[in-house]
């Protein structure tokens, strides 16, 4: 490949007629057609539960798409910039990406193209697509809530004639505000078709807003804690966790994360910069609006560590338990909240409640160790079952470019004993061409066609193997989306090219490279039957292939 590129470059220069000046070098506009694996700069994820596709955004303007049957695709933005928000318009083949430079992009997955981009004037601090629609909520640094719509016919984003400023919202809710606050979270309430939305502001102000009627359903915040005396919380039976009373002298503090913590959107979990987590009941109207409510039933404080200096709670996700058992609240996934300097983990809390927030208890805690520094996590809902809120898998993205996943059944498994809990086993995200595990050492591409002989069909040697992702246990691979290439579905086609890679563990892998999509064929180990070889597991350092008699030669660093 190097000799070919150099030849092309030199042919483009020189002093020939019609060419450039002597010494000029032609520019070769090389484009990336395929990419395998998780990019090193991966930072954010999104999932389409209908088409079963996983999207991974990066810090350099790339978006990787993963589906089933080794289907992978890459989208490359014209600008190399980080993405801070990534969401699908479900079942439409459309992906919305928001960059750190506040550019809103609409990607079409069918054509693998950027269909539209729009530059927002202010800093976008919160973003959410309304499920089942082409509408999306957008919050900015000035506390303004806006609504956008993607027009499927003209392929453009339209700004809808509806927005709510923090001051008009506070006035409608009867809450005095002294200064402007950025919106840090937007959560459309479940089962409301997006007409009700929870808006979280930086300094702790929470409003459940009815868009259709322009009024506040519920208002919450640290100011509510001063209205009553002691706030009764729920006690936990897990020794490592604390669900405590909320101190009435708590000051306003910044919100870092939030998620719904109930099926119908009646309870929201909010993570703060102090390391606290508050569970707020959003069903009752705040007493600030003239109706008497018992604040003690509105909020419960969840504390993961007892130290005075704790990590901010920057990620919260909720997975509901069984709909048949009302006491099984669900799992709360938490990144942060532990003491400063503690080991970096993702905490999974099992919360149970038999009668509202007053009876909340933490039944168990599991700390999942991370393979690198945390970047993002996403819960993959199950499919084909009546209870579609159930989680089938957990994906955890860490730096650099490591994607591990857990079986949802293992996360929800029963405890071994009263004080001992099963530690779920992480599984590596399967890749078509491994580069790190195991480490790749040498590669080459070989042609099986030429003047000497016609293309060779490898069917007479071995049927091509469609290698399924290596998953242990009874877990089903949760990503099934994407459309396989028609060329790759022909089992009797003649193999014209093969791609070969040698590895540090002495193994050799071979792919069918006839078409742009690589198809796994063989995995050859370094063993010879009934022969003991010194250095058989040494790193592969050299490859040679003869297509006339279909023979490979493999050399290792040990001289074998």
């Amino acid at each position: 490949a190097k000799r070919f590129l150099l030849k092309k470059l030199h042919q483009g220069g020189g002093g020939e007629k019609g060419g450039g000046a002597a010494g000029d070098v032609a520019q070769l506009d090389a484009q990336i057609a395929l990419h395998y694996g998780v990019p090193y700069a991966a930072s954010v994820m999104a999932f389409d539960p209908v088409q079963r596709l996983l999207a991974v955004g990066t810090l350099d303007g790339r978006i990787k798409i993963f589906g089933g049957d080794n289907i992978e695709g890459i989208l490359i933005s014209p600008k190399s910039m980080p993405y801070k928000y990534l969401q699908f318009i479900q079942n439409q083949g459309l992906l919305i990406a928001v960059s750190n430079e506040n550019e809103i992009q609409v990607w079409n997955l069918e054509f693998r193209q950027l269909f539209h981009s729009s530059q927002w004037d202010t800093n976008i601090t919160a973003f959410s697509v309304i499920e089942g629609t082409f509408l999306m909520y957008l919050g900015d640094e000035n506390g303004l809530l806006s609504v956008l719509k993607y027009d499927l016919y003209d392929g453009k984003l339209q700004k809808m004639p509806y927005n709510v400023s923090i001051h008009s919202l506070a006035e409608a809710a009867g809450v005095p505000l002294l200064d402007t606050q950025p919106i840090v979270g937007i959560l459309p309430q479940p089962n409301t078709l997006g007409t009700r939305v929870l808006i979280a502001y930086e300094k702790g102000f929470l409003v459940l807003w009815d868009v259709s009627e322009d009024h506040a359903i519920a208002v919450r915040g640290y100011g509510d804690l001063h209205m009553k005396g002691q706030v009764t919380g729920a006690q936990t039976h897990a020794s490592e966790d604390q669900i405590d009373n909320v101190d009435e002298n708590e000051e306003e503090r910044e919100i870092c994360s939030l998620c719904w913590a109930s099926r119908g959107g009646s309870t929201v979990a909010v993570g703060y910069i102090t390391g606290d987590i508050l569970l707020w009941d959003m069903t009752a109207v705040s007493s600030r609006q003239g109706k008497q409510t018992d604040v003690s039933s509105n909020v419960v404080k969840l504390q993961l560590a007892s130290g005075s200096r704790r990590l901010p709670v920057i990620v919260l996700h909720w997975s509901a338990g069984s709909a048949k058992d009302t006491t099984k609240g669900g799992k709360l996934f938490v990144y942060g909240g532990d003491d400063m300097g503690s080991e970096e983990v993702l905490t999974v809390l099992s919360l149970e409640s038999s009668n509202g927030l007053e009876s909340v208890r933490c039944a168990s805690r599991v700390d999942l160790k991370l393979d690198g520094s945390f970047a993002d996590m996403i819960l993959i809902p199950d499919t084909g079952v009546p209870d579609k809120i159930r989680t089938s898998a957990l994906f955890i993205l860490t730096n650099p470019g490591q994607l591990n996943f857990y079986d949802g059944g293992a996360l929800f498994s029963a405890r071994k004993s009263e004080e001992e809990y099963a530690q779920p086993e992480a599984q590596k995200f399967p890749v078509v061409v491994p580069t790190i595990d195991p480490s790749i050492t040498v590669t080459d591409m070989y042609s099986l066609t030429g003047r000497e002989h016609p293309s060779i069909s490898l069917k007479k040697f071995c049927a091509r193997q469609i290698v399924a992702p290596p998953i242990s246990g009874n877990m089903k691979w949760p990503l099934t989306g994407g459309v396989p290439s028609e060329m790759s579905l022909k089992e009797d086609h003649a193999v014209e090219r093969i791609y070969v890679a040698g590895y540090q563990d002495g193994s050799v892998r071979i792919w069918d490279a006839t078409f742009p999509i690589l198809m796994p064929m063989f995995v050859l180990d370094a063993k010879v039957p009934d022969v003991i070889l010194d250095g058989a597991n040494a790193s592969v350092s050299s490859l040679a292939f003869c297509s006339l008699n279909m023979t490979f030669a493999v050399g290792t660093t040990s001289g074998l």
Side-chain angles (χ1 to χ4, degrees), residues 450-488:
R451 295 180 180 178
E452 303 86 6
H453 53 80
S455 60
I456 298 175
S457 174
L458 288 187
K459 281 194 71 177
K460 58 177 136 180
F461 296 96
C462 180
R464 186 175 59 177
Q465 304 170 20
I466 305 300
V467 180
I471 301 175
S472 61
N474 298 322
M475 179 182 177
K476 295 181 180 179
W477 181 238
L479 306 181
T480 57
V483 180
S485 169
E486 292 184 5
M487 297 179 292
S488 66

mmCIF file of all heavy atoms in Angstrom, residues 450-488:
data_model
loop_
_atom_site.group_PDB
_atom_site.id
_atom_site.type_symbol
_atom_site.label_atom_id
_atom_site.label_comp_id
_atom_site.label_asym_id
_atom_site.label_seq_id
_atom_site.Cartn_x
_atom_site.Cartn_y
_atom_site.Cartn_z
ATOM 1 N N GLY A 450 -5.430 -13.160 -10.136
ATOM 2 C CA GLY A 450 -4.300 -12.709 -10.940
ATOM 3 C C GLY A 450 -4.279 -13.435 -12.260
ATOM 4 O O GLY A 450 -5.132 -14.251 -12.580
ATOM 5 N N ARG A 451 -3.276 -13.155 -13.031
ATOM 6 C CA ARG A 451 -3.171 -13.783 -14.339
ATOM 7 C C ARG A 451 -2.862 -15.272 -14.220
ATOM 8 O O ARG A 451 -3.170 -16.051 -15.100
ATOM 9 C CB ARG A 451 -2.076 -13.103 -15.154
ATOM 10 C CG ARG A 451 -2.383 -11.635 -15.486
ATOM 11 C CD ARG A 451 -1.248 -11.024 -16.287
ATOM 12 N NE ARG A 451 -1.525 -9.613 -16.606
ATOM 13 C CZ ARG A 451 -0.661 -8.832 -17.266
ATOM 14 N NH1 ARG A 451 0.495 -9.338 -17.670
ATOM 15 N NH2 ARG A 451 -0.973 -7.592 -17.515
ATOM 16 N N GLU A 452 -2.225 -15.654 -13.128
ATOM 17 C CA GLU A 452 -1.812 -17.044 -13.000
ATOM 18 C C GLU A 452 -2.995 -17.981 -12.842
ATOM 19 O O GLU A 452 -2.963 -19.129 -13.268
ATOM 20 C CB GLU A 452 -0.866 -17.219 -11.802
ATOM 21 C CG GLU A 452 0.383 -16.332 -11.868
ATOM 22 C CD GLU A 452 0.129 -14.948 -11.283
ATOM 23 O OE1 GLU A 452 -0.966 -14.742 -10.728
ATOM 24 O OE2 GLU A 452 1.021 -14.094 -11.384
ATOM 25 N N HIS A 453 -4.053 -17.527 -12.193
ATOM 26 C CA HIS A 453 -5.178 -18.414 -11.911
ATOM 27 C C HIS A 453 -6.428 -17.589 -11.673
ATOM 28 O O HIS A 453 -6.347 -16.402 -11.338
ATOM 29 C CB HIS A 453 -4.880 -19.270 -10.673
ATOM 30 C CG HIS A 453 -4.478 -18.442 -9.477
ATOM 31 N ND1 HIS A 453 -5.394 -17.806 -8.692
ATOM 32 C CD2 HIS A 453 -3.250 -18.141 -8.976
ATOM 33 C CE1 HIS A 453 -4.768 -17.137 -7.738
ATOM 34 N NE2 HIS A 453 -3.472 -17.327 -7.887
ATOM 35 N N PRO A 454 -7.579 -18.165 -11.863
ATOM 36 C CA PRO A 454 -8.820 -17.438 -11.539
ATOM 37 C C PRO A 454 -9.000 -17.335 -10.038
ATOM 38 O O PRO A 454 -8.227 -17.888 -9.267
ATOM 39 C CB PRO A 454 -9.907 -18.319 -12.179
ATOM 40 C CG PRO A 454 -9.324 -19.694 -12.142
ATOM 41 C CD PRO A 454 -7.839 -19.522 -12.367
ATOM 42 N N SER A 455 -10.044 -16.596 -9.639
ATOM 43 C CA SER A 455 -10.318 -16.471 -8.211
ATOM 44 C C SER A 455 -10.627 -17.845 -7.628
ATOM 45 O O SER A 455 -11.239 -18.693 -8.253
ATOM 46 C CB SER A 455 -11.496 -15.524 -7.976
ATOM 47 O OG SER A 455 -12.648 -16.016 -8.609
ATOM 48 N N ILE A 456 -10.185 -18.053 -6.402
ATOM 49 C CA ILE A 456 -10.307 -19.350 -5.740
ATOM 50 C C ILE A 456 -11.456 -19.309 -4.750
ATOM 51 O O ILE A 456 -11.599 -18.363 -3.988
ATOM 52 C CB ILE A 456 -8.994 -19.697 -5.014
ATOM 53 C CG1 ILE A 456 -7.864 -19.805 -6.034
ATOM 54 C CG2 ILE A 456 -9.134 -20.985 -4.224
ATOM 55 C CD1 ILE A 456 -6.516 -20.027 -5.396
ATOM 56 N N SER A 457 -12.268 -20.317 -4.790
ATOM 57 C CA SER A 457 -13.331 -20.419 -3.797
ATOM 58 C C SER A 457 -12.820 -21.219 -2.611
ATOM 59 O O SER A 457 -12.358 -22.347 -2.763
ATOM 60 C CB SER A 457 -14.564 -21.100 -4.389
ATOM 61 O OG SER A 457 -15.524 -21.315 -3.381
ATOM 62 N N LEU A 458 -12.885 -20.618 -1.443
ATOM 63 C CA LEU A 458 -12.398 -21.307 -0.253
ATOM 64 C C LEU A 458 -13.396 -22.336 0.253
ATOM 65 O O LEU A 458 -13.153 -22.982 1.266
ATOM 66 C CB LEU A 458 -12.099 -20.287 0.856
ATOM 67 C CG LEU A 458 -10.864 -19.418 0.628
ATOM 68 C CD1 LEU A 458 -10.594 -18.591 1.874
ATOM 69 C CD2 LEU A 458 -9.646 -20.243 0.292
ATOM 70 N N LYS A 459 -14.530 -22.493 -0.415
ATOM 71 C CA LYS A 459 -15.493 -23.497 0.032
ATOM 72 C C LYS A 459 -14.896 -24.897 -0.012
ATOM 73 O O LYS A 459 -15.253 -25.777 0.757
ATOM 74 C CB LYS A 459 -16.746 -23.447 -0.848
ATOM 75 C CG LYS A 459 -17.701 -22.309 -0.475
ATOM 76 C CD LYS A 459 -19.050 -22.500 -1.121
ATOM 77 C CE LYS A 459 -19.787 -23.640 -0.489
ATOM 78 N NZ LYS A 459 -21.141 -23.822 -1.023
ATOM 79 N N LYS A 460 -13.955 -25.115 -0.953
ATOM 80 C CA LYS A 460 -13.374 -26.448 -1.030
ATOM 81 C C LYS A 460 -12.398 -26.705 0.100
ATOM 82 O O LYS A 460 -11.995 -27.827 0.330
ATOM 83 C CB LYS A 460 -12.653 -26.635 -2.375
ATOM 84 C CG LYS A 460 -11.550 -25.634 -2.637
ATOM 85 C CD LYS A 460 -10.859 -25.977 -3.954
ATOM 86 C CE LYS A 460 -10.614 -24.764 -4.801
ATOM 87 N NZ LYS A 460 -9.942 -25.087 -6.062
ATOM 88 N N PHE A 461 -12.011 -25.625 0.806
ATOM 89 C CA PHE A 461 -11.128 -25.784 1.965
ATOM 90 C C PHE A 461 -11.921 -25.758 3.268
ATOM 91 O O PHE A 461 -11.728 -26.580 4.138
ATOM 92 C CB PHE A 461 -10.067 -24.681 1.974
ATOM 93 C CG PHE A 461 -9.143 -24.752 0.806
ATOM 94 C CD1 PHE A 461 -9.380 -23.986 -0.324
ATOM 95 C CD2 PHE A 461 -8.046 -25.592 0.824
ATOM 96 C CE1 PHE A 461 -8.528 -24.054 -1.412
ATOM 97 C CE2 PHE A 461 -7.187 -25.668 -0.268
ATOM 98 C CZ PHE A 461 -7.437 -24.907 -1.390
ATOM 99 N N CYS A 462 -12.801 -24.782 3.374
ATOM 100 C CA CYS A 462 -13.603 -24.674 4.608
ATOM 101 C C CYS A 462 -14.712 -23.666 4.366
ATOM 102 O O CYS A 462 -14.487 -22.643 3.724
ATOM 103 C CB CYS A 462 -12.722 -24.221 5.780
ATOM 104 S SG CYS A 462 -13.601 -24.063 7.339
ATOM 105 N N ALA A 463 -15.895 -23.975 4.836
ATOM 106 C CA ALA A 463 -16.998 -23.026 4.724
ATOM 107 C C ALA A 463 -16.688 -21.802 5.572
ATOM 108 O O ALA A 463 -16.181 -21.904 6.680
ATOM 109 C CB ALA A 463 -18.297 -23.670 5.187
ATOM 110 N N ARG A 464 -17.012 -20.645 5.028
ATOM 111 C CA ARG A 464 -16.729 -19.407 5.755
ATOM 112 C C ARG A 464 -17.544 -19.357 7.042
ATOM 113 O O ARG A 464 -18.724 -19.663 7.050
ATOM 114 C CB ARG A 464 -17.077 -18.207 4.875
ATOM 115 C CG ARG A 464 -16.670 -16.902 5.517
ATOM 116 C CD ARG A 464 -16.909 -15.750 4.583
ATOM 117 N NE ARG A 464 -18.311 -15.665 4.185
ATOM 118 C CZ ARG A 464 -18.776 -14.701 3.413
ATOM 119 N NH1 ARG A 464 -17.959 -13.816 2.921
ATOM 120 N NH2 ARG A 464 -20.059 -14.660 3.098
ATOM 121 N N GLN A 465 -16.890 -18.946 8.113
ATOM 122 C CA GLN A 465 -17.539 -18.935 9.421
ATOM 123 C C GLN A 465 -17.998 -17.522 9.757
ATOM 124 O O GLN A 465 -17.203 -16.591 9.701
ATOM 125 C CB GLN A 465 -16.573 -19.417 10.507
ATOM 126 C CG GLN A 465 -15.980 -20.794 10.233
ATOM 127 C CD GLN A 465 -14.864 -21.096 11.205
ATOM 128 O OE1 GLN A 465 -14.773 -20.496 12.256
ATOM 129 N NE2 GLN A 465 -14.010 -22.028 10.830
ATOM 130 N N ILE A 466 -19.280 -17.383 10.077
ATOM 131 C CA ILE A 466 -19.778 -16.110 10.596
ATOM 132 C C ILE A 466 -19.613 -16.179 12.107
ATOM 133 O O ILE A 466 -20.386 -16.827 12.801
ATOM 134 C CB ILE A 466 -21.245 -15.872 10.211
ATOM 135 C CG1 ILE A 466 -21.403 -15.981 8.688
ATOM 136 C CG2 ILE A 466 -21.709 -14.520 10.702
ATOM 137 C CD1 ILE A 466 -20.571 -14.991 7.908
ATOM 138 N N VAL A 467 -18.580 -15.544 12.590
ATOM 139 C CA VAL A 467 -18.225 -15.669 13.998
ATOM 140 C C VAL A 467 -19.123 -14.764 14.831
ATOM 141 O O VAL A 467 -19.126 -13.554 14.651
ATOM 142 C CB VAL A 467 -16.739 -15.307 14.220
ATOM 143 C CG1 VAL A 467 -16.376 -15.451 15.680
ATOM 144 C CG2 VAL A 467 -15.853 -16.187 13.351
ATOM 145 N N ALA A 468 -19.887 -15.348 15.721
ATOM 146 C CA ALA A 468 -20.766 -14.582 16.603
ATOM 147 C C ALA A 468 -19.953 -13.982 17.744
ATOM 148 O O ALA A 468 -18.881 -14.475 18.076
ATOM 149 C CB ALA A 468 -21.862 -15.488 17.167
ATOM 150 N N PRO A 469 -20.434 -12.883 18.329
ATOM 151 C CA PRO A 469 -19.717 -12.287 19.452
ATOM 152 C C PRO A 469 -19.515 -13.297 20.577
ATOM 153 O O PRO A 469 -20.440 -14.021 20.949
ATOM 154 C CB PRO A 469 -20.648 -11.143 19.898
ATOM 155 C CG PRO A 469 -21.467 -10.819 18.685
ATOM 156 C CD PRO A 469 -21.632 -12.123 17.972
ATOM 157 N N PRO A 470 -18.303 -13.372 21.124
ATOM 158 C CA PRO A 470 -18.033 -14.343 22.190
ATOM 159 C C PRO A 470 -18.655 -13.909 23.512
ATOM 160 O O PRO A 470 -18.089 -13.103 24.242
ATOM 161 C CB PRO A 470 -16.500 -14.330 22.265
ATOM 162 C CG PRO A 470 -16.099 -12.977 21.768
ATOM 163 C CD PRO A 470 -17.134 -12.565 20.763
ATOM 164 N N ILE A 471 -19.826 -14.423 23.822
ATOM 165 C CA ILE A 471 -20.542 -14.049 25.035
ATOM 166 C C ILE A 471 -20.686 -15.284 25.900
ATOM 167 O O ILE A 471 -21.136 -16.332 25.436
ATOM 168 C CB ILE A 471 -21.920 -13.460 24.698
ATOM 169 C CG1 ILE A 471 -21.758 -12.236 23.796
ATOM 170 C CG2 ILE A 471 -22.671 -13.095 25.965
ATOM 171 C CD1 ILE A 471 -23.063 -11.661 23.328
ATOM 172 N N SER A 472 -20.312 -15.150 27.160
ATOM 173 C CA SER A 472 -20.405 -16.278 28.080
ATOM 174 C C SER A 472 -21.792 -16.343 28.694
ATOM 175 O O SER A 472 -22.551 -15.374 28.702
ATOM 176 C CB SER A 472 -19.354 -16.126 29.186
ATOM 177 O OG SER A 472 -19.581 -14.947 29.929
ATOM 178 N N GLY A 473 -22.117 -17.524 29.230
ATOM 179 C CA GLY A 473 -23.393 -17.701 29.909
ATOM 180 C C GLY A 473 -24.562 -17.747 28.935
ATOM 181 O O GLY A 473 -24.422 -18.060 27.759
ATOM 182 N N ASN A 474 -25.745 -17.417 29.454
ATOM 183 C CA ASN A 474 -26.964 -17.478 28.654
ATOM 184 C C ASN A 474 -27.370 -16.121 28.092
ATOM 185 O O ASN A 474 -28.477 -15.964 27.581
ATOM 186 C CB ASN A 474 -28.112 -18.035 29.510
ATOM 187 C CG ASN A 474 -27.838 -19.440 29.976
ATOM 188 O OD1 ASN A 474 -27.271 -20.242 29.228
ATOM 189 N ND2 ASN A 474 -28.221 -19.740 31.215
ATOM 190 N N MET A 475 -26.490 -15.157 28.169
ATOM 191 C CA MET A 475 -26.819 -13.811 27.722
ATOM 192 C C MET A 475 -26.922 -13.747 26.202
ATOM 193 O O MET A 475 -26.109 -14.299 25.483
ATOM 194 C CB MET A 475 -25.756 -12.823 28.210
ATOM 195 C CG MET A 475 -26.009 -11.389 27.765
ATOM 196 S SD MET A 475 -24.711 -10.270 28.293
ATOM 197 C CE MET A 475 -25.249 -8.733 27.556
ATOM 198 N N LYS A 476 -27.955 -13.050 25.730
ATOM 199 C CA LYS A 476 -28.108 -12.813 24.296
ATOM 200 C C LYS A 476 -27.480 -11.464 23.954
ATOM 201 O O LYS A 476 -27.586 -10.505 24.705
ATOM 202 C CB LYS A 476 -29.589 -12.811 23.914
ATOM 203 C CG LYS A 476 -30.279 -14.145 24.096
ATOM 204 C CD LYS A 476 -31.736 -14.060 23.659
ATOM 205 C CE LYS A 476 -32.431 -15.395 23.826
ATOM 206 N NZ LYS A 476 -33.864 -15.320 23.423
ATOM 207 N N TRP A 477 -26.824 -11.415 22.805
ATOM 208 C CA TRP A 477 -26.196 -10.159 22.375
ATOM 209 C C TRP A 477 -27.290 -9.115 22.155
ATOM 210 O O TRP A 477 -28.182 -9.304 21.330
ATOM 211 C CB TRP A 477 -25.398 -10.400 21.106
ATOM 212 C CG TRP A 477 -24.691 -9.201 20.575
ATOM 213 C CD1 TRP A 477 -24.830 -8.647 19.342
ATOM 214 C CD2 TRP A 477 -23.727 -8.390 21.258
ATOM 215 N NE1 TRP A 477 -24.023 -7.560 19.203
ATOM 216 C CE2 TRP A 477 -23.339 -7.367 20.378
ATOM 217 C CE3 TRP A 477 -23.173 -8.430 22.533
ATOM 218 C CZ2 TRP A 477 -22.407 -6.410 20.726
ATOM 219 C CZ3 TRP A 477 -22.247 -7.466 22.885
ATOM 220 C CH2 TRP A 477 -21.871 -6.470 21.993
ATOM 221 N N PRO A 478 -27.256 -7.976 22.894
ATOM 222 C CA PRO A 478 -28.384 -7.032 22.874
ATOM 223 C C PRO A 478 -28.451 -6.158 21.630
ATOM 224 O O PRO A 478 -29.471 -5.540 21.382
ATOM 225 C CB PRO A 478 -28.137 -6.186 24.127
ATOM 226 C CG PRO A 478 -26.657 -6.234 24.323
ATOM 227 C CD PRO A 478 -26.225 -7.601 23.875
ATOM 228 N N LEU A 479 -27.364 -6.070 20.862
ATOM 229 C CA LEU A 479 -27.364 -5.232 19.659
ATOM 230 C C LEU A 479 -27.674 -6.108 18.447
ATOM 231 O O LEU A 479 -26.890 -6.985 18.090
ATOM 232 C CB LEU A 479 -26.011 -4.540 19.485
ATOM 233 C CG LEU A 479 -25.504 -3.726 20.682
ATOM 234 C CD1 LEU A 479 -24.172 -3.087 20.358
ATOM 235 C CD2 LEU A 479 -26.526 -2.673 21.091
ATOM 236 N N THR A 480 -28.804 -5.870 17.818
ATOM 237 C CA THR A 480 -29.225 -6.697 16.680
ATOM 238 C C THR A 480 -29.547 -5.867 15.453
ATOM 239 O O THR A 480 -29.994 -6.400 14.440
ATOM 240 C CB THR A 480 -30.472 -7.523 17.055
ATOM 241 O OG1 THR A 480 -31.517 -6.626 17.487
ATOM 242 C CG2 THR A 480 -30.162 -8.496 18.185
ATOM 243 N N GLY A 481 -29.343 -4.548 15.519
ATOM 244 C CA GLY A 481 -29.742 -3.663 14.439
ATOM 245 C C GLY A 481 -28.776 -3.659 13.271
ATOM 246 O O GLY A 481 -27.722 -4.293 13.280
ATOM 247 N N GLY A 482 -29.160 -2.906 12.250
ATOM 248 C CA GLY A 482 -28.333 -2.789 11.055
ATOM 249 C C GLY A 482 -28.752 -3.775 9.982
ATOM 250 O O GLY A 482 -29.406 -4.780 10.257
ATOM 251 N N VAL A 483 -28.368 -3.469 8.764
ATOM 252 C CA VAL A 483 -28.685 -4.321 7.619
ATOM 253 C C VAL A 483 -27.387 -4.875 7.054
ATOM 254 O O VAL A 483 -26.530 -4.112 6.619
ATOM 255 C CB VAL A 483 -29.430 -3.531 6.531
ATOM 256 C CG1 VAL A 483 -29.749 -4.432 5.341
ATOM 257 C CG2 VAL A 483 -30.706 -2.915 7.088
ATOM 258 N N PRO A 484 -27.216 -6.206 7.045
ATOM 259 C CA PRO A 484 -25.990 -6.786 6.486
ATOM 260 C C PRO A 484 -25.867 -6.479 4.999
ATOM 261 O O PRO A 484 -26.859 -6.342 4.290
ATOM 262 C CB PRO A 484 -26.154 -8.294 6.721
ATOM 263 C CG PRO A 484 -27.210 -8.410 7.770
ATOM 264 C CD PRO A 484 -28.115 -7.232 7.588
ATOM 265 N N SER A 485 -24.628 -6.363 4.549
ATOM 266 C CA SER A 485 -24.377 -6.130 3.131
ATOM 267 C C SER A 485 -24.853 -7.325 2.313
ATOM 268 O O SER A 485 -24.652 -8.479 2.695
ATOM 269 C CB SER A 485 -22.882 -5.895 2.892
ATOM 270 O OG SER A 485 -22.584 -5.925 1.515
ATOM 271 N N GLU A 486 -25.502 -7.049 1.178
ATOM 272 C CA GLU A 486 -25.968 -8.143 0.318
ATOM 273 C C GLU A 486 -24.795 -8.990 -0.168
ATOM 274 O O GLU A 486 -24.897 -10.199 -0.321
ATOM 275 C CB GLU A 486 -26.723 -7.568 -0.885
ATOM 276 C CG GLU A 486 -28.044 -6.907 -0.514
ATOM 277 C CD GLU A 486 -28.790 -6.434 -1.735
ATOM 278 O OE1 GLU A 486 -28.314 -6.701 -2.859
ATOM 279 O OE2 GLU A 486 -29.833 -5.791 -1.579
ATOM 280 N N MET A 487 -23.656 -8.318 -0.391
ATOM 281 C CA MET A 487 -22.489 -9.046 -0.861
ATOM 282 C C MET A 487 -21.994 -10.030 0.195
ATOM 283 O O MET A 487 -21.536 -11.128 -0.113
ATOM 284 C CB MET A 487 -21.378 -8.063 -1.238
ATOM 285 C CG MET A 487 -21.740 -7.138 -2.377
ATOM 286 S SD MET A 487 -20.404 -5.986 -2.771
ATOM 287 C CE MET A 487 -20.395 -4.961 -1.299
ATOM 288 N N SER A 488 -22.097 -9.611 1.468
ATOM 289 C CA SER A 488 -21.574 -10.464 2.533
ATOM 290 C C SER A 488 -22.475 -11.643 2.831
ATOM 291 O O SER A 488 -22.089 -12.559 3.552
ATOM 292 C CB SER A 488 -21.379 -9.626 3.804
ATOM 293 O OG SER A 488 -22.628 -9.176 4.287
#
